[in-house]
Amino acid sequence: IVRYLTEDMAQKLLSVCPDHLRPAVFFALHTGLRASEIFSLRWDQIDFENRVIRLERTQTKTKEYYTVHLTEGLVKLLQSLPRYPHGYVFTNSKGEPYGVQGYKKAFKNACKRAGIENFRFHDLRHTFASWVAMKSKDLYLVKELLHHKDMRSTQRYAHLTEDYKKQVLESLPNFGINAEEEKEK
C-alpha cells in the first residue's frame, strides 16, 4: 500500500517527533530525498550562499550527481542545527550519525504517537511528490525534483487526494448550464 500524508497529518507527525528526528522529517517533506540521501548528508555539501545542496554520486540511488534547491524554511532549519566534528547534518539524540537504519525505530514510534499506521520514512517522499503535483499540476516538475529517469516512476509517487480531484473538477467551466446558480452567487 502506498501512503502519503495530508498537510494536517504531516503537522501532527512533526509535532510528536523527537527533537533529534523532527528536522530530518521536515527536510524529507520539503525535498523528497530518500532516507539514505538525507542521513548521509554532510555540512560541506550545503551551499548556503546559492541555497543548494550538492549530492554526490555515491549518495544517490541513480548513482548520479545532482543538486537540491533549498527553500527559505529549509535554510532556517539547517542553520538552526548543531554542527558536530563528524560533519553529518542529521544526528540521533546523542549527536551521532544515524547509521544505516538508526532512524527507523524513532520514526515508527512517532508515527504511532501521531496515529498513523503502516507508514514508512520513504512515504515522506510520496508525500512530497503528491504535494508538488497538487500545487504545481506539473508532473514533469515532480519528475525533475525526484530525479527520476522516466515518468513511469514519477506516476507511482504523485498521488492526488479525493478532495483535490473534486476541487479541480468543480473548477471546470459550466458554460452557462447552471445559469440560475451562477446568478445567485
Side-chain angles (χ1 to χ4, degrees), residues 11-27 38-39 77-78 80-82 84 89-96 98 103 105-107 109-111 113 121:
Q11 180 64 47
K12 185 171 185 178
L13 175 60
L14 284 166
S15 73
V16 299
C17 278
D19 291 342
H20 61 91
L21 183 64
R22 187 177 302 112
V25 171
F26 182 89
F27 193 82
I38 292 170
F39 295 113
L77 169 81
L78 291 169
S80 75
L81 296 177
Y84 296 99
V89 175
F90 298 103
T91 59
N92 64 23
S93 60
K94 297 175 185 170
E96 300 167 347
Y98 273 98
Y103 63 91
K105 185 175 180 182
F107 185 74
N109 289 338
C111 287
R113 285 191 300 277
F121 195 90

Side-chain angles (χ1 to χ4, degrees), residues 5-181:
L5 301 175
T6 64
E7 289 182 25
D8 288 342
M9 290 168 65
Q11 180 64 47
K12 185 171 185 178
L13 175 60
L14 284 166
S15 73
V16 299
C17 278
D19 291 342
H20 61 91
L21 183 64
R22 187 177 302 112
V25 171
F26 182 89
F27 193 82
L29 287 168
H30 287 83
T31 63
L33 292 179
R34 295 172 181 90
S36 61
E37 296 164 343
I38 292 170
F39 295 113
S40 67
L41 184 64
R42 299 174 63 90
W43 286 109
D44 61 3
Q45 295 175 268
I46 301 172
D47 178 348
F48 284 106
E49 185 177 330
N50 294 305
R51 292 174 55 158
V52 295
I53 292 173
R54 292 179 177 86
L55 290 175
E56 303 297 327
R57 293 171 192 226
T58 56
Q59 291 174 288
T60 66
K61 182 178 179 181
T62 59
K63 302 298 179 207
E64 292 183 11
Y65 161 93
Y66 56 81
T67 60
V68 176
H69 297 278
L70 296 174
T71 63
E72 186 65 32
L74 288 171
V75 168
K76 287 179 181 177
L77 169 81
L78 291 169
Q79 289 175 335
S80 75
L81 296 177
R83 295 188 186 209
Y84 296 99
H86 52 62
Y88 288 94
V89 175
F90 298 103
T91 59
N92 64 23
S93 60
K94 297 175 185 170
E96 300 167 347
Y98 273 98
V100 181
Q101 304 286 326
Y103 63 91
K104 285 190 175 184
K105 185 175 180 182
F107 185 74
K108 184 176 180 178
N109 289 338
C111 287
K112 187 175 181 177
R113 285 191 300 277
I116 301 169
E117 296 179 10
N118 302 318
F119 196 79
R120 305 162 301 151
F121 195 90
H122 190 75
D123 294 329
L124 298 172
R125 186 169 164 85
H126 289 268
T127 299
F128 169 81
S130 298
W131 289 358
V132 171
M134 287 185 281
K135 290 183 186 302
S136 71
K137 301 162 187 64
D138 184 348
L139 278 183
Y140 181 77
L141 175 62
V142 175
K143 174 188 172 291
E144 292 298 303
L145 292 172
L146 292 179
H147 305 280
H148 285 150
K149 291 185 187 252
D150 65 62
M151 286 299 283
R152 288 184 306 238
S153 297
T154 305
Q155 289 168 334
R156 289 195 312 261
Y157 280 79
H159 317 287
L160 305 175
T161 66
E162 292 305 312
D163 286 344
Y164 175 77
K165 292 175 191 176
K166 290 176 189 175
Q167 178 186 350
V168 169
L169 292 174
E170 290 296 335
S171 73
L172 297 176
N174 288 324
F175 300 110
I177 298 298
N178 297 325
E180 292 304 314
E181 284 181 24

